[in-house]
Amino acid sequence: MADKKTKKVRARTPMPHQDPKVRAGNFEEVALGYSREQALVEAERCLQCKKPTCQDGCPVNIDIRWFIACLVDDDLEGAFNAIRRTNSLPAVCGRVCPQETQCEGSCILGKKHEPVAIGRLERYVADTYAARSACEEVTDLAACALERDDLKVACIGSGPSSLTVAGYLAGRGIKVDVFEALHEPGGVLIYGIPEFRLPKSVVARELDGLRKLGVTFRTNWVGGKTITIQDLLDQGYDAVFIGVGAGLPRFLNVPGENLVGVFSANEYLTRVNLGRAYEFPTYDTPAYRARRVAVIGAGNVAMDAARTALRMGAEEVSIVYRRSEDEMPARREEIEHAVEEGIKIRCLCGPLSFHGDNQGRLKAITVQKMELGEPDESGRCAPVCLEGETEQIPCGMAIIAVGTRPNPVLLEATPDLELNKWGYVQTDPETGETSIPNVFAGGDIVTGAATVISAMGAGRRAAREIAKRLL
Amino acid sequence: MGYKILRKEELIPGQTTMMVIDAPQIAQKAKPGNFVMLRVDRHGERIPLTIADCDKEKGTITIVYLVVGKTTAAMNKLQESGEFKDVCGPLGKPTHIEKSGTVVCVGGGTGIAAMHHIAKGHVEAGNRVIAIIGARSKNLLLFCTELSSFCPEVRIATDDGSEGHKGFVTEVLKDILETEDDVAEVVAIGPVPMMEAVCRVTLPFGTKTTVSLNSIMVDGIGMCGACRCTVDGKTLFACVDGPEFDGHKVDFAELKTRLWQFKKQEEESMELFSKECHCNGR
């Protein structure tokens, strides 16, 4: 054992990336993925701990130790199946999960060295497995003993939480119909996360995997409008899962916010991602363009919006954030990628007002300079105004990415649904069940804007409970 | 699988068209005041259009549109038995309709179609409905026959005087408000300047005035905030808080500015479209 202590731990295998200067001008994926050799080298760094803390750190509890062991043995199918047992969207999670605070954040190796690059390995397994055309997407389908065509479940919304519910239940032989309001399924994976971070082809592949399990996607069906929860129960669905996402964008409520050129991140990203405005005019949906762009907020959505604006041709893009860089809620990796691409970070300033020209178009933002004060209820240092210190940031476009509030469409149509004090759906934390029996909810409509994987965790909890009751 | 066009009728050739679309799930739920988001094809933009009528039994909805840009021009190329890639709805809050007495419904341009659906709702609720419709000239009037079939009082205004009052709908409206003392509500749907003018007329009378805002939308379900408008000093979303609002509280100047946001891109799209071949192989 003595030499284990002294053994030099190899450095984490770096991820190959597109060159920052090149990628700032295209929408192709930034991170290129490991080669087989790189994946094996990285997999061998895993200590195969007796108590795999990484697995506890994963909201969907992937048997990480096992999948890495398979990988070391060059058993790709075994690795894929190990992941797929608890995660219906491995190619997505391998790309967009905040691994640093989850699996990798709990990796023992990470205590003294760099943690195993679990996310990158997950992505490698999912991508490589899918690329092998000879492989069936789901190998245990025929062996499934629980084929029950008398049972059906409806999911409202087709984002990560619903897709998880669908994958879990369909894998156990239950019929799942997913109702999506937009014209393409995938929820935030399609309208929110840009192509350069999560290619649509990857989402399409995961959706196809679910279709092969018998999941049906019905687009242009708005929960609460085209169909209500009561309609679904009346139509004989044994359970309903609500995964409608976060909803309405928040604005700052400062003067000039409705000027032409001021957008919510949701609008901007939806136009570019879902409407494919980056291919305008081949695709009809336009996106506004400006030479100088300011993005207000510093979460992952803000980073996505800023990097998108850069790719849409802006010459200068700044992130405007009222706290300091240490408090930024975005993933470190995303901030680094943004900075590498040339995005400016302006910390400790908060917008006071937006100013327009005589045609009502944005031309500048006045910001209030801040300093950091005592920690607030969020645990982060609160921004405190430096009285009288303001600055003008000239820009032709501003994108506001300061979060969301509950979308009222389904909630208003479902008066029996109990809401919490923030207006989100109240659920049993163990089962995900709402105040309406056999109606479950999960994801952002329960927690407010969070991550893909936490929505998937909620989906998994609800799906497990639904399966327990139905089977 | 798309949404089939069962009937197409050019109400004003090259300008205004009516389509009856097979969409049973939407027809089942549609109420006056609701709208749909639709997309012509795979490359299409999502655009909002008010539901002008619906037939729950036949499972159809009716839309009326004015050819103004690329999307509506592309719609006009679709033929009967052709289909829309996507139709989503019914969206927005339906018109608040209750038995309240006399309701004056003012419609202009394609807004007459939406107004006619709302007027129908008010008639069904037992209200006395006076409809006022306006256009530049007689041959540009829409839904005259349809309105007259259920609404006994239809007043007409044309700019050139070729039918009814020579002048604006607002003049007819003012006349009604001066002579009738029990108008419970005025509903105005049409171009923004018309709705704004109606609100100016009704304000001194203190008559409740409802307008339907045709803001730019992307998803139509509250997600994007593109359709935000200022009503009573507050920012509201036309798609989920509206599309109908108290006209006396709407910031029309802001609405007008915001409607022009994508003018440059719209022109670019339209120019490209007009250069393409649209003969459909003929």
Side-chain angles (χ1 to χ4, degrees):
Chain A
M1 292 308 275
D3 63 324
K4 195 172 181 180
K5 270 188 188 162
T6 52
K7 194 170 134 190
K8 194 167 180 297
V9 175
R10 233 178 327 189
R12 191 167 145 113
T13 316
M15 181 67 137
H17 285 100
Q18 254 201 90
D19 181 272
K21 282 198 194 72
V22 176
R23 75 191 190 224
N26 69 46
F27 273 84
E28 278 145 45
E29 200 167 8
V30 165
L32 300 169
Y34 278 161
S35 66
R36 179 167 174 270
E37 292 66 35
Q38 287 167 325
L40 279 179
V41 166
E42 185 59 25
E44 278 167 359
R45 292 180 69 231
C46 175
L47 299 176
Q48 291 290 313
C49 306
K50 268 209 186 75
K51 285 195 179 117
T53 44
C54 52
Q55 185 171 351
D56 301 332
C58 170
V60 296
N61 228 246
I62 295 176
D63 191 344
I64 295 165
R65 180 180 59 173
W66 182 252
F67 106 69
I68 295 183
C70 289
L71 207 52
V72 171
D73 286 346
D74 207 15
D75 173 11
L76 186 70
E77 183 159 338
F80 181 79
N81 285 334
I83 298 172
R84 254 318 258 269
R85 254 199 303 280
T86 61
N87 183 350
S88 5
L89 311 167
V92 171
C93 288
R95 285 170 167 83
V96 304
C97 269
Q99 289 104 6
E100 62 278 12
T101 58
Q102 296 171 342
C103 52
E104 294 177 16
S106 313
C107 173
I108 297 297
L109 201 57
K111 291 209 164 146
K112 285 194 176 153
H113 309 278
E114 288 175 299
V116 175
I118 300 166
R120 295 169 183 179
L121 291 177
E122 183 184 21
R123 169 179 165 162
Y124 168 79
V125 170
D127 285 3
T128 314
Y129 187 79
R132 286 192 188 173
S133 55
C135 292
E136 276 298 310
E137 284 281 334
V138 179
T139 43
D140 60 347
L141 188 57
C144 180
L146 297 165
E147 199 69 58
R148 290 284 301 273
D149 54 14
D150 57 326
L151 297 175
K152 58 174 184 173
V153 170
C155 294
I156 306 180
S158 65
S161 65
S162 282
L163 295 181
T164 303
V165 172
Y168 188 101
L169 295 178
R172 281 153 188 80
I174 295 172
K175 176 87 187 89
V176 183
D177 293 330
V178 180
F179 295 88
E180 167 56 48
L182 294 172
H183 58 258
E184 245 183 275
V188 72
L189 306 176
I190 286 292
Y191 74 76
I193 303 178
E195 182 78 11
F196 57 82
R197 203 150 74 81
L198 178 64
K200 284 181 252 300
S201 57
V202 170
V203 182
R205 200 170 74 207
E206 308 270 38
L207 291 169
D208 269 343
L210 292 172
R211 284 194 189 97
K212 283 187 187 140
L213 281 172
V215 175
T216 325
F217 292 97
R218 299 168 86 171
T219 49
N220 300 319
W221 285 75
V222 186
K225 292 285 183 188
T226 324
I227 197 150
T228 64
I229 289 174
Q230 194 55 51
D231 293 336
L232 291 167
L233 295 172
D234 292 346
Q235 286 174 20
Y237 284 94
D238 298 282
V240 176
F241 178 80
I242 304 170
V244 293
L248 275 62
R250 269 183 202 283
F251 288 93
L252 301 160
N253 296 319
V254 300
E257 203 162 23
N258 293 344
L259 284 166
V260 168
V262 184
F263 296 90
S264 76
N266 253 7
E267 173 177 0
Y268 189 64
L269 291 173
T270 303
R271 283 180 178 278
V272 177
N273 298 331
L274 179 76
R276 284 149 172 84
Y278 57 94
E279 292 187 57
F280 181 87
T282 305
Y283 281 81
D284 293 342
T285 307
Y288 204 77
R289 288 167 199 255
R291 212 157 55 79
R292 276 188 292 229
V293 177
V295 177
I296 320 295
N300 288 322
V301 175
M303 296 303 148
D304 283 346
R307 297 170 71 195
T308 298
L310 195 71
R311 284 161 173 77
M312 292 295 282
E315 286 164 25
E316 189 188 306
V317 182
S318 330
I319 292 274
V320 176
Y321 182 50
R322 58 193 187 127
R323 302 181 204 250
S324 81
E325 205 162 331
D326 290 341
E327 282 82 24
M328 287 190 168
R331 287 184 68 196
R332 209 32 48 196
E333 189 178 306
E334 303 306 333
I335 300 170
E336 280 163 16
H337 283 169
V339 171
E340 280 169 17
E341 288 165 13
I343 294 191
K344 292 206 170 80
I345 310 267
R346 285 170 177 265
C347 283
L348 294 166
C349 44
L352 279 179
S353 55
F354 295 88
H355 309 280
D357 59 16
N358 52 12
Q359 288 173 30
R361 289 173 182 269
L362 179 72
K363 60 173 191 188
I365 309 175
T366 300
V367 293
Q368 166 74 58
K369 300 274 202 146
M370 308 274 195
E371 63 179 350
L372 285 185
E374 295 296 307
D376 61 13
E377 68 270 24
S378 75
R380 299 174 297 176
C381 290
V384 181
C385 295
L386 285 167
E387 271 325 312
E389 288 193 40
T390 63
E391 191 190 337
Q392 282 234 339
I393 302 177
C395 59
M397 176 164 144
I399 303 172
I400 300 178
V402 295
T404 52
R405 54 205 168 98
N407 186 306
V409 172
L410 179 78
L411 309 184
E412 281 175 4
T414 322
D416 295 348
L417 206 57
E418 251 172 57
L419 307 179
N420 65 22
K421 64 176 173 179
W422 298 282
Y424 293 101
V425 177
Q426 180 82 50
T427 58
D428 178 329
E430 297 293 313
T431 62
E433 193 171 26
T434 67
S435 54
I436 307 174
N438 295 321
V439 175
F440 298 77
D444 286 2
I445 194 59
V446 172
T447 56
T451 59
V452 166
I453 191 71
S454 66
M456 292 177 65
R460 197 170 140 74
R461 271 193 301 281
R464 205 188 281 140
E465 178 67 20
I466 294 171
K468 201 166 89 188
R469 289 192 198 178
L470 296 189
L471 296 170
Chain B
M1 202 190 67
Y3 297 75
K4 202 166 178 183
I5 299 160
L6 301 175
R7 196 154 80 81
K8 178 184 177 185
E9 194 183 318
E10 284 205 81
L11 302 178
I12 303 168
Q15 195 193 1
T16 308
T17 306
M18 179 178 84
M19 280 180 176
V20 178
I21 305 169
D22 183 41
Q25 72 278 18
I26 300 174
Q28 204 53 47
K29 301 277 183 180
K31 291 199 177 104
N34 283 141
F35 66 93
V36 289
M37 294 297 297
L38 50 82
R39 225 164 57 112
V40 176
D41 56 31
R42 205 166 68 78
H43 293 98
E45 183 180 10
R46 297 169 66 91
I47 64 154
L49 273 182
T50 308
I51 299 172
D53 211 350
C54 76
D55 188 324
K56 291 191 185 347
E57 265 118 66
K58 292 190 185 132
T60 62
I61 57 162
T62 303
I63 53 161
V64 175
Y65 59 88
L66 179 71
V67 178
V68 281
K70 155 89 195 266
T71 300
T72 42
M75 279 167 68
N76 235 21
K77 299 287 175 195
L78 294 173
Q79 302 302 324
E80 244 170 44
S81 83
E83 52 187 38
F84 282 96
K85 182 92 175 61
D86 302 285
V87 182
C88 171
L91 301 170
K93 286 196 177 21
T95 309
H96 178 77
I97 294 176
E98 58 178 356
K99 193 163 169 9
S100 54
T102 303
V103 176
V104 181
C105 295
V106 190
T110 48
I112 302 175
M115 182 277 268
H116 129 278
H117 198 199
I118 293 164
K120 206 190 232 176
H122 276 292
V123 169
E124 278 162 15
N127 290 322
R128 175 190 166 211
V129 174
I130 306 173
I132 311 174
I133 57 175
R136 282 203 311 280
S137 91
K138 185 183 170 178
N139 56 343
L140 299 177
L141 284 166
L142 301 173
F143 278 76
C144 229
T145 331
E146 287 87 346
L147 264 172
S148 306
S149 72
F150 62 83
C151 181
E153 296 174 72
V154 181
R155 313 274 178 93
I156 291 166
T158 51
D159 294 2
D160 62 1
S162 50
E163 173 112 20
H165 170 78
K166 181 178 188 311
F168 297 129
V169 284
T170 40
E171 292 153 10
V172 180
L173 173 67
K174 189 157 185 261
D175 199 40
I176 293 171
L177 291 173
E178 275 163 358
T179 48
E180 306 267 345
D181 48 18
D182 60 343
V183 174
E185 186 182 353
V186 172
V187 180
I189 303 177
V192 179
M194 185 212 88
M195 294 194 287
E196 194 179 9
V198 164
C199 293
R200 263 199 308 271
V201 168
T202 58
L203 189 62
F205 294 91
T207 316
K208 179 185 171 191
T209 306
T210 304
V211 294
S212 180
L213 303 190
N214 53 337
S215 323
I216 291 175
M217 294 183 188
V218 180
D219 57 85
I221 48 172
M223 271 170 38
C224 80
C227 63
R228 62 193 195 274
C229 44
T230 303
V231 181
D232 205 11
K234 287 194 286 283
T235 294
L236 296 177
F237 293 176
C239 70
V240 291
D241 298 313
E244 292 175 11
F245 295 102
D246 179 344
H248 294 145
K249 293 180 176 160
V250 170
D251 182 341
F252 284 106
E254 181 188 278
L255 176 68
K256 278 188 276 192
T257 317
R258 291 187 61 83
L259 280 171
W260 288 102
Q261 280 180 85
F262 292 97
K263 190 167 174 270
K264 221 171 69 196
Q265 288 94 330
E266 281 160 16
E267 282 166 359
E268 190 185 337
S269 256
M270 192 60 203
E271 198 188 318
L272 207 73
F273 182 75
S274 55
K275 283 185 192 149
E276 287 166 16
C277 164
H278 302 288
C279 68
N280 297 323
R282 282 193 295 269

